[in-house]
Amino acid sequence: MTLSTLKRTVFTVLFLSVFSFGFAKDAKEQGDDEKFDAKSMIMHHVKDAYGMHIITFNEGKEDEKHITIPLPVILWTDNGLTTFMSSEFHHDYHGHEVVEKNGGKFVNVHEKVYQLNEGETEVKLDEEGHPTNAERPIDISITRNVFMMWISVIVLILIFFAAAKSYKKSKNNVPSGIGSFVEPLVVFVRDEIAKPMIGEHKYKRYMPYLLTVFFFIWINNIFGLIPILNGANLSGNIAFTMVLALFTFIITTFSGNKNYWKHIFWMPGVPVPMKIFLMPIELIGIFTKPISLMIRLFANITAGHIIILALMSLIFIFKTWAVAPVSVAFSLFIGIIEIVVTAIQAYIFTVLSALYFGMATEEAHH
């Protein structure tokens, strides 16, 4: 093993160790209780949040201090637009802290903002933990996932502007710096995804979308693995994957040629009774394809986070550090797999999108 390889290995192990223990931080907060609830801890972590929690000093002590990036809470209530910073909840997501703004009283219950009914001073929960004396206003807040989505957009813009700049400076069209990293990926998407799936003559019109969705998903998956970002789980948000799948569905639908729609509504080359039988199946397939895209990306990214959290929870379930080496070792193993999965899931979403575009634009064979 060379020295450079050894350095990379040590760095990876250290990074993933911090990554694993960063995920276990929330588990420790609940592990001090008499009964540790792994399910609520895991679900709290993978869900979206109203602030970016970085680190806590002197945890559990009187001088406890949180380092966070507060984000704006934006609500539309009966009294109109109501805004305030998430820091006013003072890191409470159990509904204890009441924020009074614009004639209303608001609480954060499991990372969902509720407005207390008129005359109420504190939230009341049923057996399942749902508020009984509060209602949810229209919520358009800048949450952790939205914030990280904007950051990823800025990062991608900077990367591609830098890559374009490296091409301009090059005298022989050989990029340097970040351009040398981006170019092979762009060529890979073009030669290994777009051309084979769509065809030599039609792939160019779809390249901007395929490149965008590939890099966008990949970089957001990577951000979800960085502990200091508190694991912003953007690709693990069903709304995010739904919108991406919806874009693929719209492009596929509007790209469909006569041959594509003919195969859906009146399959050529089969008997008429079979055509009638196949038509509703093919019609349903139009919608199941983007739904499968949505669920596949959401489930695979979320599963990795849940597995790591579940492994780290074993320490607090058994209430002994004896299982820590096993939990950490398996968490590191899953963490390494997750690094690979970040790129694989971006690749799969891009490949399937290109495949659907190719099916929609395929010409009839004679």
Coordinates of all heavy atoms in Angstrom, one line a residue, residues 10 98 145 208 211 231 242 251 256 260 272 280 293-294 322 324 330 360:
V10 N -7.0 6.4 5.8 CA -7.1 6.9 7.2 C -8.1 8.1 7.2 O -9.0 8.2 8.1 CB -5.8 7.4 7.7 CG1 -5.9 8.2 9.0 CG2 -4.8 6.2 7.9
V98 N -43.7 28.3 23.3 CA -44.8 28.9 22.6 C -44.3 30.3 22.1 O -43.7 31.1 22.8 CB -46.0 29.2 23.5 CG1 -47.1 29.9 22.7 CG2 -46.5 27.8 24.0
N145 N -33.9 21.4 4.5 CA -33.8 20.8 3.1 C -33.8 21.8 2.0 O -33.1 21.8 1.1 CB -34.9 19.8 2.9 CG -34.7 18.4 3.6 OD1 -33.6 18.2 4.1 ND2 -35.7 17.6 3.7
P208 N -29.2 18.7 -21.5 CA -29.2 19.7 -20.3 C -30.0 19.1 -19.1 O -29.5 19.3 -18.0 CB -29.9 20.9 -20.9 CG -29.6 20.8 -22.4 CD -29.6 19.4 -22.7
L211 N -28.0 16.0 -17.5 CA -26.8 16.5 -16.8 C -27.2 17.2 -15.5 O -26.6 17.0 -14.4 CB -26.0 17.4 -17.6 CG -25.2 16.8 -18.8 CD1 -24.5 17.9 -19.6 CD2 -24.1 15.9 -18.2
G231 N -26.9 16.2 8.4 CA -27.5 15.2 7.6 C -28.7 15.6 6.8 O -29.8 15.0 6.9
M242 N -40.5 13.5 -5.8 CA -41.8 13.6 -6.6 C -41.7 14.7 -7.7 O -42.1 14.5 -8.8 CB -43.0 13.9 -5.7 CG -44.3 14.0 -6.4 SD -45.7 14.5 -5.3 CE -45.2 16.2 -5.0
I251 N -41.6 15.7 -19.5 CA -40.8 15.7 -20.7 C -41.1 14.5 -21.5 O -41.2 14.6 -22.7 CB -39.3 15.7 -20.3 CG1 -38.9 17.0 -19.6 CG2 -38.4 15.5 -21.5 CD1 -37.5 17.1 -19.0
G256 N -43.5 12.3 -26.5 CA -44.0 11.2 -27.2 C -44.5 11.4 -28.6 O -45.2 12.4 -28.9
Y260 N -45.1 6.2 -30.3 CA -45.2 5.9 -28.8 C -46.6 5.8 -28.3 O -47.0 4.9 -27.6 CB -44.5 7.1 -28.1 CG -44.6 7.1 -26.6 CD1 -44.0 6.2 -25.8 CD2 -45.5 8.1 -26.0 CE1 -44.1 6.3 -24.4 CE2 -45.6 8.1 -24.6 CZ -44.9 7.2 -23.8 OH -45.1 7.3 -22.5
V272 N -57.1 -7.7 -32.0 CA -57.9 -6.7 -31.4 C -58.3 -6.9 -30.0 O -58.2 -6.0 -29.1 CB -59.1 -6.4 -32.3 CG1 -60.1 -5.4 -31.6 CG2 -58.7 -5.9 -33.7
P280 N -55.4 -0.5 -21.2 CA -55.4 0.0 -19.8 C -54.1 -0.2 -19.1 O -53.7 0.6 -18.2 CB -56.6 -0.6 -19.2 CG -56.8 -1.8 -20.0 CD -56.4 -1.5 -21.4
L293 N -39.8 5.9 -10.1 CA -38.6 6.8 -10.0 C -38.6 7.5 -8.7 O -37.6 7.6 -8.0 CB -38.6 7.8 -11.1 CG -38.0 7.5 -12.5 CD1 -38.1 8.7 -13.4 CD2 -36.5 7.1 -12.3
M294 N -39.7 8.1 -8.3 CA -39.9 8.8 -7.1 C -39.6 7.9 -5.9 O -38.8 8.3 -5.0 CB -41.3 9.4 -7.0 CG -41.7 10.0 -5.7 SD -43.4 10.5 -5.6 CE -44.2 8.9 -5.5
A322 N -20.4 -2.2 25.4 CA -19.8 -3.4 24.9 C -20.2 -3.7 23.4 O -19.4 -4.3 22.7 CB -20.3 -4.6 25.7
A324 N -20.7 -1.2 21.3 CA -20.2 -0.1 20.5 C -19.3 -0.5 19.4 O -19.5 0.0 18.3 CB -19.6 0.9 21.5
F330 N -20.2 -1.7 11.9 CA -21.2 -1.9 10.9 C -21.7 -0.6 10.3 O -22.0 -0.5 9.1 CB -22.4 -2.7 11.4 CG -22.2 -4.2 11.4 CD1 -21.8 -4.9 12.5 CD2 -22.3 -4.9 10.2 CE1 -21.6 -6.3 12.5 CE2 -22.1 -6.3 10.2 CZ -21.8 -7.0 11.3
A360 N -40.2 7.2 -25.7 CA -41.1 8.2 -26.2 C -40.8 8.7 -27.6 O -41.7 9.1 -28.4 CB -41.3 9.4 -25.3

